[in-house]
Structures are given as C-alpha cells and as structure tokens.
Amino acid sequence: MRLYGFNNLTKSLSFNIYDVCYAKTNRDQLEYIAYIDSQYSSDRLTNILYKLTDMIGAHVLNVSKQDYEPQGASVAFLISDKSIEREVAAAKAEEEKKNGGEPPELILGHLDKSHITVHTYPEFHPETSIATFRVDIDIETCGHISPLHTLDYLIGSFDSDIITMDYRVRGFTRDVKGRKLFLDHEMTSIQDYIDEATLDIYNAQDINVYQANMFHTRLMIKELDLSNYLFNTNAYDLTPEEREVILENLRKEMIEIYSGKNVFHK
C-alpha cells in the first residue's frame, strides 16, 4: 500500500487484566497487597514496557514512573517510531540535498510521538476474603506501528484470570491518488492476534463495531486450580466443603468482573 506523505492513523490498544485471589483474613489481604506491590513495582513494569516498545519497533524518548502509597504503581513512556539519531540524520541529508551539498545551519527534526502507560490497582474488601489485582496498559501509536502483535507477551507477563482488550483505529491517511484510508491493515477480531494455545485456556467473547473500526475482546479463564488462588492458605488444610465454597466464590467474582456488572451481589 503506497501512501501519500505521513501515515496519520492513530492506533489505540487498551489492555486490562485481573488477577483474583483468596486471602482469608484481613491480615492475609494486606499481605497480598504488599506482595503484589513488590512483584509489580514501577521498576518491573518499566522493564515490561521496554520489552513491549522494542517488540513494536518503537524508540523510547522519555520515561516517567511512580510507586504510590499505600499501593499501586504507574509508568509512562513517550515513544517514537524512529530513533532520534536516525531522524536527525535523515533531516540533515535532506537539507544538504536542497542546499546543493552544503550543510544546513539549522536542522529541524519532526518526531511522530506516541505513548505507552501502565497503572496497577490492587484492592480487597474485608467482608469477602477475595482480593483482586488489576493492570491497565494503554498503547497509543501513530504511523505504521501496531501494538496488536504484543498481546501474547502481555498476557504472559501477568497472572491473568480475566482480560479485556479494546482496539481502535482513528483518523485517516491517503494513498498516492488521494483516496482516504481509514484502516491500513486487515482486521476482523483481536483474537486473530492471540496464540491459539492461549485462547484454549480462556472463554472468549467479541463485541466489534466494524463501521467505526472499534474492536473489543474479553477473556475469562476456563479451569480453576484452587492451589493457584490461595494466599497464605494450604489447600490440604481445607475440607472438601470449604474448597467447594472458595471455588464458587472465586468463580462468582470472575463472572461479575467479566460481565461488568453485579450478578450475585445485589
């Protein structure tokens, strides 16, 4: 596809994961929050975003990160689809060509900037013995960069029980004949960019608005291994009845998060 000028399309991916855990006592819940804060500090999140930026072929221009009290962390990356050195060198070469081989007195380099942000939200309620951890990652790109190919890496970077993803392409660009292009790649579902082995683990649902280039996919894990959801509790110390109740409460919590509404809590 030959374009006229710069690719002006903006591609936005919102990636949200939820990790659900059973923490029996208030002390367990507080310790779970402390554990999550240590596991997903701003430093670790920064490393994840560096890898993600490299995967989409972008270059980091600026990094801002913060750990919050009593819990949570945020990281923001300002990115470009070209390195500063390459952009400046290209601008210099173009100016020298215009000036008949003479070096320019001033070089103005345009960088097509975008951003990546991540925020964490650990939470619990003292009456439920259920604690959750949410991660929101937003990738805003312009030009030819697309964030969809990072989905398997993002899913694998977190313990993901529920995942919601939104992808939207905004604006338009033009081909060499002046025809507007509102999408520069084929797109039917976000699921097309997720490995089949990963999809097998989850129940998946799409809600897409093709006319507006808006795509939404949500995933919820199919099978629950109770030992993976107990914090400071040994499954062998629980009676079969207790295990059944805990699994039921975990599943109810996931269904409500997946549905986006109170199903069991009126």
Side-chain angles (χ1 to χ4, degrees), residues 12-173:
S12 303
L13 174 66
S14 178
F15 175 86
N16 313 98
I17 74 100
Y18 298 84
D19 174 60
V20 181
C21 176
Y22 174 82
K24 184 176 182 179
T25 67
N26 182 257
R27 178 177 178 178
D28 290 338
Q29 293 170 345
L30 293 173
E31 290 182 0
Y32 170 78
I33 297 298
Y35 166 78
I36 286 296
D37 270 353
S38 65
Q39 288 295 305
Y40 296 102
S41 65
S42 63
D43 287 338
R44 183 181 178 190
L45 295 173
T46 298
N47 291 334
I48 291 174
L49 294 196
Y50 267 118
K51 173 65 175 178
L52 188 151
T53 303
D54 183 63
M55 291 177 68
I56 64 175
H59 300 268
V60 177
L61 302 181
N62 182 265
V63 177
S64 176
K65 59 183 179 179
Q66 179 66 48
D67 289 296
Y68 297 109
E69 293 294 340
Q71 66 247 1
S74 297
V75 181
F77 276 32
L78 187 66
I79 63 173
S80 168
D81 75 343
K82 298 179 181 179
S83 67
I84 296 176
E85 293 80 3
R86 184 172 62 178
E87 186 79 3
V88 171
K92 181 178 180 180
E94 183 66 24
E95 287 296 316
E96 288 185 353
K97 183 178 179 181
K98 290 180 181 179
N99 296 335
E102 293 295 325
E105 294 182 1
L106 178 64
I107 298 175
L108 297 177
H110 170 71
L111 293 176
D112 44 311
K113 301 181 182 70
S114 303
H115 66 267
I116 303 174
T117 63
V118 57
H119 306 281
T120 66
Y121 302 89
E123 69 88 36
F124 67 91
H125 192 279
E127 295 183 5
T128 64
S129 295
I130 301 291
T132 64
F133 169 57
R134 181 174 115 238
V135 177
D136 291 353
I137 296 181
D138 292 289
I139 308 171
E140 188 94 3
T141 66
C142 55
H144 70 279
I145 294 177
S146 175
L148 289 170
H149 298 286
T150 66
L151 288 175
D152 285 323
Y153 169 71
L154 287 173
I155 294 172
S157 296
F158 302 95
D159 293 325
S160 310
D161 296 315
I162 301 102
I163 305 169
T164 63
M165 294 160 285
D166 295 281
Y167 181 68
R168 181 180 179 184
V169 181
R170 294 174 293 171
F172 66 89
T173 191

